[in-house]
Amino acid sequence: MLSKVETIQKVLKKKKLDLALITSTPNIRYILNKYDMQYGGIICIPKDQQPFMISSAFESADVRDYGIDVFSVSNKVKADIKAKNKLEALKKILKEKKISTKKIGLELGFLNFLTYDKIRKKIRSSYNDISEELLNIRAIKSKQEISILKKGARITVRGMKAVRESLTPNMTEKEIAGIFEAEVRKHADWYSFDTIVASGKNSSKPHHQITERKILAKDLIVIDCGIIYKNMHTDMTRTFCLKPGEKEKILHKIVLEAQKVAINKLKTGIKASIIDKAARDYMKKLNHNQYFTHGLGHGVGMDIHEKPSLDPDSKDILKENMIFTIEPGAYIPEFGGVRIEDMVLLTKKGKQILTKFTRRL
Ligand SMILES: [Mn+2]
């Protein structure tokens, strides 16, 4: 059986649930270890029986070899189950297999309200949220996931390198984003988010929307970018400046040192909030903590932001095989900002930076 199914069954037993229904595409891909699949369906994981998947007739051929029983559904064309929709088919199968449905686990954090409403009208049960548990499981990356994210990080670095090498005054923010995007597109499936290029005063806004502003030699230029490779997300930020003045150099140095302090402190078993605090305390000593307005980092994977969360209020503990970002920043209104972000893999022996590339201005 799929190893992730067993982990979820342990959660079901702990929470005294009869079964889990997995409906979100990221979690379906995750459970099936099929990172390049487009389509989802419903996966039903009973607490002590084989899991199965319900899929539309036209898509079921794609999932036949996914290591799980698949039932296709249609009331128009030939299918395993004759039913109007997947929920109706699910109800039939649950009855046939005599699976208890008194307490069901659902990913309430991923479901939209209308789908939730449909499910609970179709199958009467007491519904319990298991999205937190699934996110905790997802935070620890498998060997396959680590290798996909490493490859993704290498592609991202190539894009960042192309940007650094072509940066010249008068290029617009959009042109710079285009250079990154064209370079990575040779291998990336898509982008993790809209590429951020924030120049000059714009760099004082952490999530600036790109414009046609032309860059000047003295501008700080924050480039925050990521790609999707086999449905896994990467995330990386560098700040460049063609002709930095004293103020730009100092700001950059403070952020870079804060990142180093945080990375040096990383080890398994440590609270994520302590790592955040280390970077924040370093900046406080230099009177810059008031400019560090966001969390220090976040996990990456099937989603661009997932567990663990490295911020002052986080309850997460850092564990072996987690992959997350370390991204301190300082944003001075009406002047500009600096952010430096790397993806880090935590290992038993230490840590590995996956987005290895110069952090110089
Ligand atoms: Mn990030």
Side-chain angles (χ1 to χ4, degrees):
M1 196 175 359
L2 296 157
S3 67
K4 287 163 183 170
V5 167
E6 286 172 31
T7 316
I8 293 166
Q9 285 177 328
K10 276 184 202 148
V11 170
L12 295 176
K13 278 169 198 157
K14 209 172 147 198
K15 298 195 82 172
K16 298 198 166 56
L17 303 175
D18 297 308
L19 63 97
L21 293 180
I22 309 295
T23 51
S24 74
T25 307
N27 282 339
I28 289 173
R29 287 174 181 144
Y30 177 78
I31 290 165
L32 298 177
N33 300 313
K34 287 293 171 191
Y35 300 96
D36 51 359
M37 82 185 270
Q38 281 292 347
Y39 166 73
I42 301 176
I43 294 181
C44 176
I45 305 177
K47 70 172 186 293
D48 46 17
Q49 285 189 43
Q50 288 288 327
F52 58 91
M53 183 165 174
I54 297 171
S55 168
S56 333
F58 72 97
E59 278 156 325
S60 62
D62 299 338
V63 289
R64 288 287 174 205
D65 60 344
Y66 282 8
I68 190 167
D69 286 340
V70 178
F71 298 97
S72 60
V73 180
S74 178
N75 61 358
K76 293 189 183 73
V77 297
K78 194 173 174 299
D80 302 322
I81 311 278
K82 197 174 164 63
K84 252 201 333 248
N85 54 46
K86 289 178 206 134
L87 274 179
E88 200 180 289
L90 172 68
K91 204 175 171 180
K92 279 188 183 177
I93 298 167
L94 288 170
K95 206 173 162 196
E96 209 172 277
K97 287 182 177 274
K98 297 194 174 68
I99 295 169
S100 167
T101 56
K102 270 190 214 118
K103 289 184 89 179
I104 296 181
L106 271 186
E107 317 149 86
L108 295 180
F110 293 88
L111 269 180
N112 67 48
F113 186 78
L114 281 180
T115 312
Y116 174 47
D117 204 42
K118 270 186 204 159
I119 294 173
R120 65 178 184 184
K121 277 181 184 147
K122 197 79 184 168
I123 302 166
R124 298 212 170 269
S125 174
S126 130
Y127 284 101
N128 299 264
D129 183 35
I130 53 164
S131 39
E132 275 293 296
E133 284 80 1
L134 285 164
L135 284 173
N136 281 327
I137 297 169
R138 264 170 48 180
I140 316 273
K141 267 61 186 176
S142 69
K143 264 197 189 136
Q144 190 189 0
E145 287 152 9
I146 290 170
S147 86
I148 292 172
L149 281 164
K150 278 185 175 174
K151 174 98 192 272
R154 283 199 299 273
I155 298 167
T156 312
V157 165
R158 259 182 248 163
M160 189 63 89
K161 191 164 176 260
V163 167
R164 188 176 173 98
E165 284 167 358
S166 54
L167 219 51
T168 37
N170 283 325
M171 285 171 85
T172 70
E173 292 177 350
K174 286 186 185 175
E175 276 179 83
I176 296 168
I179 289 168
F180 171 79
E181 287 166 9
E183 178 61 34
V184 296
R185 199 64 170 103
K186 293 171 193 165
H187 304 284
D189 298 312
W190 199 239
Y191 312 102
S192 296
F193 48 85
D194 292 347
T195 307
I196 296 172
V197 178
S199 64
K201 278 185 192 178
N202 291 344
S203 63
S204 65
K205 293 177 278 175
H207 279 170
H208 167 67
Q209 165 87 40
I210 51 172
T211 67
E212 279 164 51
R213 180 182 183 279
K214 288 182 175 160
I215 63 162
L216 306 171
K218 64 174 179 54
D219 282 347
L220 284 166
I221 307 159
V222 174
I223 296 146
D224 187 350
C225 50
I227 64 151
I228 301 176
Y229 178 68
K230 293 188 190 288
N231 284 309
M232 294 287 236
H233 298 70
T234 70
D235 199 358
M236 175 183 190
T237 308
R238 288 294 183 266
T239 303
F240 301 135
C241 184
L242 293 167
K243 255 197 165 154
E246 236 5 73
K247 221 174 155 185
E248 285 81 6
K249 280 185 194 164
I250 291 168
L251 192 61
H252 179 265
K253 191 161 189 274
I254 292 171
V255 175
L256 181 58
E257 284 305 314
Q259 197 208 29
K260 285 182 185 166
V261 166
I263 291 174
N264 282 338
K265 219 176 162 65
L266 285 174
K267 60 176 179 189
T268 56
I270 198 166
K271 280 187 195 160
S273 60
I274 290 180
I275 306 298
D276 176 280
K277 191 171 185 301
R280 229 166 273 282
D281 284 352
Y282 175 80
M283 282 168 71
K284 195 172 181 176
K285 270 198 295 192
L286 298 162
N287 275 321
H288 271 66
N289 58 314
Q290 72 270 32
Y291 303 124
F292 181 16
T293 48
H294 50 74
L296 179 70
H298 53 89
V300 286
M302 302 303 293
D303 284 314
I304 179 66
H305 294 124
E306 48 179 59
K307 280 182 174 254
S309 160
L310 292 90
D311 63 54
D313 303 321
S314 176
K315 299 272 176 281
D316 298 336
I317 307 280
L318 299 181
K319 293 178 186 154
E320 190 185 350
N321 295 334
M322 282 183 168
I323 295 181
F324 46 82
T325 67
I326 298 286
E327 49 175 312
Y331 312 91
I332 302 178
E334 296 306 310
F335 171 68
V338 170
R339 178 164 66 256
I340 302 169
E341 173 179 36
D342 282 297
M343 284 165 59
V344 183
L345 163 68
L346 200 58
T347 63
K348 206 181 279 173
K349 282 182 237 141
K351 55 242 155 184
Q352 212 179 320
I353 293 178
L354 304 187
T355 41
K356 259 204 146 68
F357 184 63
T358 182
R359 291 177 288 181
R360 277 196 313 267
L361 255 185

